[in-house]
């Protein structure tokens, strides 16, 4: 089992399979992209499956594929088939653009939960936020996931003055559809990405929702990272994710693996365990397990503590290299 120094068992892996993306969301990446990893610097599928086999034996039961945009990695269904043999629960966070092309294959491999990132329901805003013209494709992907009866969640990064006037429109999506809409606090990645200016807190979002939906009911906290609500009579759910306030870290059960093979205990970690060179040097399995166990044991109590102890003024390039 993977247990940290605070007694938390880690059962959930967020697996970023690429740092590349077919969008350029302003809060995530500059127009020109970042210094993307060359192919040989990425874990290949055999390496990912080797590591995942070890992690499955150590108690990881759920894997979420993310990135970058996971669907831009070539032959992703091949990897997903391998993962499907190791883990009972597979999920993916995606912008949906390429999803219709792969959905059947992915679902057949056991991937039936899709978080689709969609920050606005207005096409022109979508272009302004993502710098790309793929609103129709993203919406179509969401419809397709729902039509096929798979579990769908919508991730909305809420930004003051950008899309915070759409919260209620998003809640209305849950009236007749069995989907979860998740409002995410925008996280700053560096001093000039503008996320500081647009930040809207968990509390401010909740206040805004309660002004219209005074009967909003809080259900149990979901998986530790979100607080979930329902509007009585609505089919779907609404959640708020305090990604920056980090008020839910106490129940964190997550481990991350970046496309370059760095294991991270926390989204705010900058000092991880570099697994790629170890795998390529042929590290024996028992030594690998021991290193992972030790690394996980050192997981800090909260994202704030991780930031304080590890970052020391360092900043992330982008969520796309960590795996959102
Ligand atoms: N490309 C996929 C997608 O669009 O869903 C997966 C990767 S993306 C980095 C994962 C999630 O992180 C998305 O929902 C995205 O909106 C969110 N994200 C990226 N940068 C963020 C930031 N600065 N603050 C909050 N959420 C962010």
């Amino acid at each position: 089992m993977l247990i940290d120094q605070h007694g938390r068992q880690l059962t959930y892996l967020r697996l970023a399979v690429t740092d590349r993306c077919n969008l350029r969301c302003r809060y995530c990446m500059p127009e020109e992209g970042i210094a993307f990893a060359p192919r040989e610097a990425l874990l290949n599928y055999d390496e990912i499956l080797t590591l995942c086999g070890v992690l499955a034996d150590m108690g990881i039961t759920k894997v979420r594929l993310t990135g970058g945009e996971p669907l831009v990695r070539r032959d992703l269904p091949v990897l997903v088939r391998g993962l499907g043999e190791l883990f009972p629960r597979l999920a993916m966070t995606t912008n949906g653009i390429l999803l219709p092309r792969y959905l059947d294959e992915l679902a057949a491999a056991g991937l039936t939960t899709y978080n689709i990132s969609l920050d606005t329901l207005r096409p022109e805003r979508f272009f302004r936020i993502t710098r790309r013209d793929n609103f129709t494709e993203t919406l179509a992907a969401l419809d397709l996931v729902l039509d096929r009866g798979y579990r769908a969640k919508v991730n909305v990064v809420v930004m003051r003055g950008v899309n915070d006037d759409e919260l209620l429109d998003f809640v209305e999506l849950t009236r007749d559809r069995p989907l979860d809409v998740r409002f995410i606090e925008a996280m700053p990645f560096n001093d000039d990405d503008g996320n500081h200016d647009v930040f809207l807190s968990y509390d401010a979002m909740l206040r805004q929702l309660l002004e219209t939906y005074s009967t909003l009911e809080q259900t149990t906290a979901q998986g530790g990272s979100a607080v979930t609500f329902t509007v009585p009579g609505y089919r779907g759910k609404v959640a708020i994710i305090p990604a920056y306030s980090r008020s839910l870290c106490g129940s964190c059960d997550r481990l991350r693996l970046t496309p370059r093979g760095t294991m991270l205990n926390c989204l705010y970690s900058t000092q991880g365990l570099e697994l790629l060179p170890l795998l390529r040097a042929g590290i024996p399995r028992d030594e690998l397990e021991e290193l992972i166990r030790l690394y996980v044991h050192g997981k800090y109590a909260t994202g704030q503590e991780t930031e304080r102890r590890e970052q020391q003024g360092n900043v992330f390039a982008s969520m796309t290299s960590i795996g959102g």
Side-chain angles (χ1 to χ4, degrees):
M1 282 208 297
L2 289 165
I3 310 250
D4 74 8
Q5 58 183 326
H6 305 285
R8 295 171 297 196
Q9 187 186 350
L10 277 66
T11 55
Y12 178 11
L13 174 69
R14 296 184 67 104
L15 175 64
V17 293
T18 179
D19 54 2
R20 289 168 199 263
C21 189
N22 41 0
L23 296 180
R24 288 288 180 275
C25 301
R26 286 173 191 276
Y27 51 77
C28 188
M29 257 205 268
E31 168 79 74
E32 65 279 10
I34 56 163
F36 296 116
R39 184 179 247 269
E40 64 279 6
L42 297 180
L43 289 177
N44 65 37
Y45 287 172
D46 284 344
E47 290 163 344
I48 293 176
L49 290 172
T50 300
L51 258 178
C52 282
V54 171
L55 292 173
D57 288 346
M58 297 178 91
I60 296 289
T61 55
K62 175 177 173 186
V63 172
R64 171 174 302 281
L65 287 117
T66 179
E69 171 50 42
L71 293 170
V72 302
R73 178 111 188 218
R74 189 176 300 169
D75 297 328
L76 192 74
V78 173
L79 176 67
V80 174
R81 277 200 293 279
L83 294 172
E85 287 169 18
L86 293 171
F87 301 102
R89 295 171 69 201
L90 294 182
M92 175 186 281
T93 301
T94 172
N95 58 39
I97 296 168
L98 297 170
L99 191 55
R101 199 182 295 175
Y102 297 112
L103 185 61
D104 289 338
E105 251 183 300
L106 295 171
L111 206 172
T112 51
T113 300
Y114 297 90
N115 288 29
I116 296 184
S117 301
L118 177 65
D119 300 325
T120 175
L121 298 171
R122 304 183 192 177
E124 72 292 347
R125 260 191 200 173
F126 184 94
F127 182 77
R128 230 178 305 143
I129 294 171
T130 66
R131 302 189 180 100
R132 297 289 184 273
D133 197 8
N134 295 108
F135 177 74
T136 312
E137 287 92 332
T138 300
L139 215 56
L142 176 61
D143 287 340
L144 185 65
V145 170
L146 286 169
D147 285 351
R148 295 280 162 88
Y150 304 132
R151 190 155 159 65
K153 302 183 189 180
V154 176
N155 282 2
V156 186
V157 177
V158 178
M159 294 162 280
R160 188 204 305 270
V162 177
N163 64 351
D164 58 335
D165 54 349
E166 292 189 61
L167 262 54
L168 306 185
D169 296 341
F170 275 106
V171 174
E172 286 307 307
L173 287 184
T174 71
R175 182 190 284 265
D176 300 315
R177 308 167 119 206
L179 63 79
D180 294 10
V181 166
R182 296 141 52 89
F183 297 120
I184 305 175
E185 284 180 347
M187 292 176 286
F189 280 103
N190 51 54
D191 290 336
D192 56 9
D193 63 9
N195 292 351
H196 290 280
D197 305 331
V198 299
F199 179 75
L200 194 72
S201 70
Y202 173 101
D203 289 341
M205 290 186 224
L206 184 55
R207 270 196 305 275
Q208 201 196 121
L209 295 179
L210 285 169
E211 274 171 23
T212 302
Y213 302 101
S214 55
T215 54
L216 200 66
E217 280 171 8
Q218 184 176 329
T219 60
T220 44
Q222 158 195 313
S225 71
V227 181
T228 309
F229 304 87
T230 48
V231 179
Y234 283 27
R235 282 184 79 192
K237 290 186 203 139
V238 176
I240 310 180
I241 302 185
Y244 187 62
S245 312
R246 289 163 272 181
S247 49
L248 300 177
C249 293
S251 54
C252 183
D253 60 355
R254 294 161 176 220
L255 191 59
R256 294 173 182 268
L257 191 61
T258 73
R260 294 175 189 249
T262 308
M263 182 167 277
L264 297 172
N265 270 330
C266 174
L267 181 54
Y268 289 83
S269 296
T270 52
Q271 297 165 23
L273 179 61
E274 303 294 344
L275 293 170
L276 182 139
L278 300 174
L279 286 169
R280 290 194 183 163
I283 183 172
R285 187 182 163 114
D286 55 339
E287 284 178 32
L288 182 61
E289 278 185 18
E290 192 50 27
L291 278 176
I292 293 173
R293 211 185 307 283
L294 272 174
Y295 174 69
V296 164
H297 184 77
K299 181 175 166 87
Y300 294 122
T302 62
Q304 281 92 344
E305 188 183 358
T306 310
E307 187 173 25
R308 221 172 29 248
R309 294 198 188 228
E310 292 193 3
Q311 287 187 19
Q312 296 156 347
N314 298 337
V315 287
F316 302 119
S318 163
M319 184 91 145
T320 201
S321 49
I322 308 160

